[in-house]
Each structure stands twice: as C-alpha cells, then as structure tokens.
C-alpha cells in the first residue's frame, strides 16, 4: 500500500468549503425504520493522517446515505476524534472504540502488517503475536475467503456489546480510510495551484467493518477507487472542464459511501446474522 501523499492530506482539508458546514461533530440522531447501527469510528489506520475535515465530510456523507436507505444511525459527537485513534483517548470509551476498530482490522482478510499505522502494528503484535502475521500460507488462505464473517477477540467483543447497549444499538460500524494518493503522470504533484485534474490519477482505499454484537460476527468490506475516467467524464459533461482536486476527492468520497451502503444492504447485514 502506498503511503498518503502530503498534498492529498492538504487537499482533503479543503472539503468543508465544498460540502458546507461540517456536521459530524454533532451527535447523529436515529432515523429510518431499519436496523439500528452505532458508528464507532471513521478514522485512518494507514501510514499517514488525514485532516479532521476529511473524516467529518466522509462521516456526514455516510450518515446521510444510510438514513436514506432506512438504516437507523446513531453516533457520538467525536466519532472522528483523532485522540481516539492515536494517542490516549479523551475518555475510556474513546480507547475502547479504538481497540474494537483495531481488533476488527487485524482479524480481517485485508490486514497488511507491514503497511499499517504504528499504533495498529503494536496492537496486532500484542494481541496475536508477531509470528502470526508471517505465516504466509495461512494468510494467503484466509485472504481467499474474503467475505466470510469472523469474530473479534473475546475482550473486544465484550466491550463492543457494552457500548452498543449504551446506545440502544445491536450493530457497530467502523470505517478505516487507509490510503489516499493523488498523482500527476506517475509523479506526486506538489502544489495546490495544480487545480485541474486532467492527467491526474487518484487512489482511494477504504475498509469497513460491521459488527453484530448479539452473536459477535464481523463483516469486512472493501472499497477502492483507482481510476478516474468515469468521474472525469461526469465533470466534463456537467462543467465543460475537469474537476479540481478538491472536487474530485469529494466526488470519490460520495461514490465510496454509496458503494459501502449498497454493500451493507446486499451483503453485510446478511453475513452477520
């Protein structure tokens, strides 16, 4: 996995002016008539950090799309709190949510030990043992079973159940925005004055984890956008020109959220029953 480009981080910080005021800092209210899901974290356990505005924007889009699709969605005011992801959390619940998220990642089919954030690597080694992740045959066989639900460590599962009960939910959802790169003709572009995206390529990789706390099952999903041709065509038809970097990243986030919610509806909810 390629590390985040620093310019992509800067570009993502500009999302808020495109999407209006960021509302993820406010507590989400329950809406819809379907399953009640508590969103635990929308964060990054990749190599580099994104600005908080990026997480807030993604969380807002996720909430809106899920409620449109009849899910009942609740969350905390600081679901994108960086302290809960990296340093000691602001509260005991911050720490627990970070542990649950990391536990879901390291047990999943997509975890790559050598390309994760330092905090995640330390947790993986302490929980599973370093040798566990160097059994190439076992890892390869497990990755071939993508889509097969699995379970958390017993302690993480217990913490997840307690948190879900506190919010009147049965399901927890975690999103890991783990990789974003923007490139110009195979070279990282180094200035935000490069506004036009014609000739540029963007990679955005997201993993997400749906947990049914009633039985402990976890569904792992994956969404990856590497080609921008469709988005570019859309922009040309709509605007008569290429999108700027901020708009392109915003469009990709919207597309990813739509894919995630569709996957939860089609596969995720069934997998964890």
């Amino acid at each position: 996995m390629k590390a985040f480009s620093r310019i992509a981080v800067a570009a993502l910080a500009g999302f808020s002016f495109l999407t209006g005021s960021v509302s993820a800092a406010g507590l989400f209210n329950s809406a819809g008539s379907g399953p009640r899901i508590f969103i635990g974290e929308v964060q990054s356990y990749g190599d580099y950090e994104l600005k908080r505005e990026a997480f807030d924007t993604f969380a807002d889009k996720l909430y809106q799309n899920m409620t449109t699709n009849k899910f009942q969605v609740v969350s905390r005011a600081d679901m994108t709190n960086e302290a809960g992801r990296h340093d000691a959390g602001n509260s005991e619940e911050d720490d627990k949510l970070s542990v649950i998220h990391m536990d879901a990642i390291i047990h999943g089919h997509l975890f790559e030990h050598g390309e994760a954030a330092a905090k995640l690597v330390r947790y993986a080694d302490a929980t599973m043992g370093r040798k566990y992740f160097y059994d190439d045959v076992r890892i390869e066989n497990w990755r071939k079973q993508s889509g097969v639900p699995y379970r958390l460590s017993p302690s993480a599962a217990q913490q997840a159940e307690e948190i879900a009960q506190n919010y009147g939910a049965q399901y927890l959802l975690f999103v890991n925005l783990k990789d974003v790169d923007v490139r110009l003709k195979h070279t990282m572009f180094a200035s935000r004055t490069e506004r036009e995206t014609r000739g540029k390529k963007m990679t955005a990789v997201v993993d997400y984890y749906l947990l049914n706390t009633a039985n402990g099952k976890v569904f792992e999903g994956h969404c990856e956008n590497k080609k921008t041709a469709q988005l570019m065509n859309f922009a040309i038809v709509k605007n008569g020109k290429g999108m700027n970097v901020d708009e392109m990243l915003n469009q990709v986030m919207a597309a990813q959220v739509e894919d995630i919610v569709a996957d939860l509806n089609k596969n995720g909810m069934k997998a964890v029953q």
Side-chain angles (χ1 to χ4, degrees), residues 124-138:
D125 290 346
T127 304
M128 312 290 281
R130 182 178 293 270
K131 291 182 179 180
Y132 180 88
F133 300 104
Y134 289 90
D135 184 341
D136 295 336
V137 175
R138 183 197 58 77

Side-chain angles (χ1 to χ4, degrees), residues 56-93:
D56 287 340
T57 299
F58 193 96
D60 289 342
K61 292 180 182 297
L62 181 63
Y63 166 74
Q64 292 162 4
N65 202 298
M66 290 182 72
T67 54
T68 298
N69 283 273
K70 309 303 181 184
F71 288 104
Q72 297 184 65
V73 185
V74 292
S75 189
R76 308 183 327 154
D78 53 355
M79 64 185 289
T80 61
N81 176 25
E82 291 192 8
R85 183 171 88 256
H86 295 290
D87 304 322
N90 291 335
S91 71
E92 184 179 350
E93 192 169 82

Side-chain angles (χ1 to χ4, degrees), residues 60-186:
D60 289 342
K61 292 180 182 297
L62 181 63
Y63 166 74
Q64 292 162 4
N65 202 298
M66 290 182 72
T67 54
T68 298
N69 283 273
K70 309 303 181 184
F71 288 104
Q72 297 184 65
V73 185
V74 292
S75 189
R76 308 183 327 154
D78 53 355
M79 64 185 289
T80 61
N81 176 25
E82 291 192 8
R85 183 171 88 256
H86 295 290
D87 304 322
N90 291 335
S91 71
E92 184 179 350
E93 192 169 82
D94 283 330
D95 294 334
K96 288 181 178 179
L97 287 170
S98 183
V99 166
I100 296 166
H101 194 174
M102 290 191 296
D103 205 77
I105 293 172
I106 67 171
H107 284 93
H109 305 84
L110 301 171
F111 176 60
E112 297 181 43
H113 185 275
E115 298 176 359
K119 180 180 179 180
L120 181 58
V121 171
R122 289 194 297 270
Y123 179 81
D125 290 346
T127 304
M128 312 290 281
R130 182 178 293 270
K131 291 182 179 180
Y132 180 88
F133 300 104
Y134 289 90
D135 184 341
D136 295 336
V137 175
R138 183 197 58 77
I139 291 176
E140 183 63 25
N141 288 335
W142 178 235
R143 286 178 176 169
K144 289 178 181 179
Q145 301 177 54
S146 177
V148 174
Y150 55 92
R151 286 179 167 80
L152 302 178
S153 301
S155 60
Q158 182 179 354
Q159 291 176 351
E161 185 176 12
E162 292 171 355
I163 291 175
Q165 289 176 351
N166 290 340
Y167 293 90
Q170 181 180 341
Y171 302 92
L172 269 61
L173 178 65
F174 296 88
V175 179
N176 180 19
L177 306 178
K178 69 179 184 183
D179 186 37
V180 175
D181 278 320
V182 181
R183 293 178 176 269
L184 172 61
K185 295 180 180 178
H186 309 293

Side-chain angles (χ1 to χ4, degrees), residues 250-268:
N250 197 20
Q251 289 288 339
V252 168
M253 275 194 173
Q256 286 180 316
V257 164
E258 185 175 341
D259 289 345
I260 289 171
V261 176
D263 191 31
L264 293 177
N265 263 323
K266 182 179 179 181
N267 302 308

